[in-house]
Amino acid sequence: MLNRAQIKQNIKDFIKTDKCWLDMFIANIIPVAFGFCYTGVNLRIQNFTRDIDDFFDPTEILSIFGVSSFAAFVIAILIIPIAIAGMGYCLSKIRGQHPEQISVYQEAGHNYGRYLLTEIAQGFFVWCWSLLFVIPGIIKAYSYYFTNFIVHDNPNISATDAITLSRRITKGFKGQLFVLDLSFLLWDLLAAITCGIACIWVLPYKTATKAAFYEE
């Protein structure tokens, strides 16, 4: 058993020092910005479909949701490698290293194809398991919980080997990881009701805590 409460408290204390939380947030600013852009597109779609005439017009609906799906695809292609590199930045910080924020984008560019392929492989495997019902998909998602940290740590590892190693690391800990995610629900709610402003603190806190669990 890992001491979830103690790990979270250690991370709270750590990210308060020298405005470390701000460094982590800035290092992840592009994925956050793209996320807000996509949310804005979805809100525009919701407003659009409130018009009853538009709602029952199949051509209009297919058109607007096609734009939404394409936007989601483009955003994912662009930000996935940066997001993984951003997670690696937070991991380096809690290890006592002092990476430059520009290193996130250098790492993402250097490993763009490998990081993207790793995320696609994870998504594909989770989707396949989800076809057997929802629960197996959730279990597998937690089996792959540390894959992104593993590819950051191992420049030459393949996507499938990283996934396999994550499965070995998370064996016996998936339940604790699930509880860990549940413990962030109120923080996520705070981020939502502040229109994302609280993400300045919540994002570094969550990512650094997951990195600390990976270290343990």
Side-chain angles (χ1 to χ4, degrees):
M1 289 287 291
L2 296 176
N3 191 330
R4 175 177 54 84
Q6 186 60 56
I7 291 174
K8 291 182 71 175
Q9 185 58 53
N10 290 343
I11 290 300
K12 284 180 183 177
D13 295 338
F14 172 75
I15 64 178
K16 289 177 183 176
T17 61
D18 299 325
K19 294 185 178 178
C20 183
W21 59 272
L22 186 57
D23 289 339
M24 293 183 183
F25 177 76
I26 293 174
N28 288 274
I29 191 68
I30 287 184
V32 173
F34 272 108
F36 278 126
C37 289
Y38 182 57
T39 300
V41 171
N42 276 336
L43 289 174
R44 177 68 185 89
I45 291 170
Q46 291 174 17
N47 291 333
F48 178 86
T49 55
R50 285 173 186 164
D51 186 324
I52 194 66
D53 293 331
D54 291 332
F55 188 81
F56 286 106
D57 185 337
T59 302
E60 293 294 340
I61 289 296
L62 289 174
S63 175
I64 196 69
F65 277 97
V67 171
S68 176
S69 299
F70 179 74
F73 175 76
V74 171
I75 289 171
I77 292 296
L78 290 173
I79 71 170
I80 282 173
I82 300 174
I84 293 176
M87 294 172 66
Y89 177 91
C90 294
L91 178 62
S92 297
K93 292 287 281 189
I94 69 169
R95 286 172 170 169
Q97 300 168 7
H98 302 284
E100 297 289 335
Q101 290 164 358
I102 191 64
S103 68
V104 172
Y105 308 103
Q106 293 171 339
E107 178 183 337
H110 184 70
N111 298 282
Y112 186 90
R114 188 167 63 93
Y115 284 3
L116 185 61
L117 180 60
T118 299
E119 193 68 22
I120 290 172
Q122 290 181 76
F124 175 74
F125 290 140
V126 169
W127 176 77
C128 289
W129 281 99
S130 297
L131 295 177
L132 300 177
F133 296 111
V134 175
I135 299 301
I138 294 174
I139 292 173
K140 284 302 175 181
Y142 279 95
S143 293
Y144 309 153
Y145 202 84
F146 293 131
T147 302
N148 293 340
F149 289 118
I150 291 170
V151 294
H152 164 78
D153 268 348
N154 301 273
N156 298 317
I157 198 169
S158 68
T160 52
D161 285 345
I163 289 171
T164 299
L165 185 54
S166 180
R167 287 169 50 204
R168 292 171 58 187
I169 291 174
T170 57
K171 187 176 182 179
F173 293 98
K174 289 186 282 292
Q176 293 181 60
L177 294 172
F178 178 71
V179 174
L180 175 66
D181 281 345
L182 288 180
S183 72
F184 286 117
L185 284 179
L186 290 179
W187 287 105
D188 291 334
L189 179 61
L190 176 63
I193 64 178
T194 58
C195 299
I197 295 174
C199 282
I200 297 174
W201 167 265
V202 175
L203 176 65
Y205 176 41
K206 288 180 63 176
T207 307
T209 300
K210 292 177 181 181
F213 262 73
Y214 168 69
E215 281 290 87
E216 291 293 327

